[in-house]
Amino acid sequence: MTPDLSPTLARDAALRRLVQAFAAAGIANPRGEARFLAEHALGLSAADLLLQGRTPLGAAGAQALEAAAGRRLAGEPVARIVGAWEFWGLPFALSPETLVPRPDTETLVEASLRLLPERDRRLRLVDLGTGSGCIMVALLHERPHAFGIGLDRSQEALLTARANAAANGVGGRAAFLRGSWLDAVSGPFDLIVSNPPYIASGVIPTLQAEVRGHDPMAALDGGTDGLDAYRAILAGIARRPGLLAPGGAVALEIGYDQAEAVTDLAEAAGFREITLAHDLAGQARVVTLRPSLAAI
């Protein structure tokens, strides 16, 4: 039930009611989510909310906070309500056609940076299924002489990614193309990176309601066994080895149980140097690939 938030209620009292309501609803981090929504709805920084806690909500503040709380209690994720989320310490706007960036995906950025350890080297990379652009923007942020291409089938996602690149100061080193996997690009690339859809179609109805009800289905559904995107990406590279520059590499995020299957697909595509990177929970989260020397 949405808590009663009157205009005369102090901000800190309203925050306490919000925490209680979120806790009663079984929200995992009621205090953190309540504070985040309060800051957004009231247009306050964390410091302002703390220092001005006894200030009444006011009519507009009460209305905005009640509306945000009602959406959260109805199952809408905080990131969707706010319309933005942080990734790699950078802010990213969201749209209905983009995933909310997950902390696990930072493992993909970390693994990619290890593949390209020279910070000042001139690089060319492509992010397949770029979505919000968070992976590519994070990489461009860390590699100041790199140029990136973000590719997606969704025009709305591409517009969001372009705006995020500009907002994070890397728009001049980024381009965005509409297309399916590698069909729209010619290479060569020093890095091909992707967090593709990898959830098996039959599993999607069992996902949390916050995910299946609010994340774009095209970014979730990986086909019958969850491996359709990997097949397309790896087959595309195998058909066109010139897509990878000499010494180039591929980094792919994978589901928690897909390491063996994706490794098998990579070996069948001619990759011999295959490594796994693990997330903070110890799960294999990223496969990194380099072709054999004979294929370069």
Side-chain angles (χ1 to χ4, degrees), residues 87-88 99-112 127 130 132 134-136 138-139 193-196 198 252-254 279-280 285-286:
F87 179 83
W88 202 255
L99 285 174
V100 177
R102 266 68 165 181
D104 285 343
T105 299
E106 293 193 353
T107 307
L108 179 57
V109 176
E110 293 166 353
S112 298
D127 177 17
T130 195
S132 68
C134 64
I135 297 165
M136 188 178 78
L139 290 171
V193 64
S194 183
N195 175 21
Y198 54 68
L252 305 172
E253 182 167 333
I254 59 173
D279 59 26
L280 292 176
R285 180 61 55 186
V286 175

Side-chain angles (χ1 to χ4, degrees), residues 21-294:
F22 286 2
I27 292 173
N29 181 18
R31 186 172 301 278
E33 294 208 6
R35 182 171 295 278
F36 201 79
L37 273 189
E39 292 169 9
H40 168 70
L42 301 176
L44 299 173
S45 67
D48 288 340
L49 186 60
L50 179 64
L51 296 173
Q52 302 172 22
R54 295 190 178 183
T55 302
L57 290 174
Q63 183 177 15
L65 191 54
E66 274 197 1
R71 290 170 66 182
R72 182 66 189 98
L73 290 167
E76 189 173 353
V78 169
R80 296 294 179 190
I81 299 169
V82 174
W85 208 239
E86 184 178 287
F87 179 83
W88 202 255
L90 302 170
F92 288 90
L94 304 176
S95 66
E97 293 297 310
T98 64
L99 285 174
V100 177
R102 266 68 165 181
D104 285 343
T105 299
E106 293 193 353
T107 307
L108 179 57
V109 176
E110 293 166 353
S112 298
L113 293 174
R114 287 195 295 271
L115 291 168
L116 307 169
E118 299 174 29
R119 176 174 170 81
D120 294 325
R121 179 182 164 194
R122 294 192 178 278
L123 301 166
R124 196 163 182 258
L125 61 94
V126 62
D127 177 17
L128 305 176
T130 195
S132 68
C134 64
I135 297 165
M136 188 178 78
V137 169
L139 290 171
L140 294 180
H141 185 265
E142 296 297 329
R143 296 293 179 263
H145 298 292
F147 180 86
I149 297 175
L151 189 144
D152 206 289
R153 287 179 291 185
S154 165
Q155 183 68 20
E156 183 180 359
L158 291 170
L159 292 172
T160 303
R162 179 180 286 117
N164 283 327
N168 283 292
V170 300
R173 294 186 288 118
F176 298 91
L177 295 175
R178 189 174 184 182
S180 180
W181 304 126
L182 291 160
D183 295 343
V185 294
S186 59
F189 297 104
D190 299 286
L191 177 69
I192 297 173
V193 64
S194 183
N195 175 21
Y198 54 68
I199 299 173
S201 302
V203 174
I204 288 176
T206 71
L207 297 176
Q208 291 180 329
E210 292 181 13
V211 175
R212 68 176 187 270
H214 297 278
D215 278 340
M217 195 57 57
L220 298 175
D221 193 340
T224 303
D225 60 359
L227 301 173
D228 283 0
Y230 302 106
R231 292 190 183 94
I233 293 169
L234 295 170
I237 297 171
R239 286 195 307 269
R240 299 162 61 200
L243 285 169
L244 276 177
V250 181
L252 305 172
E253 182 167 333
I254 59 173
Y256 75 95
D257 59 350
Q258 293 176 320
E260 182 177 356
V262 175
T263 296
D264 289 344
L265 290 174
E267 289 177 344
F271 289 94
R272 296 294 176 264
E273 189 177 329
I274 303 172
T275 60
L276 298 175
H278 296 75
D279 59 26
L280 292 176
Q283 301 283 359
R285 180 61 55 186
V286 175
V287 174
T288 64
L289 313 167
R290 291 188 191 272
S292 65
L293 291 175

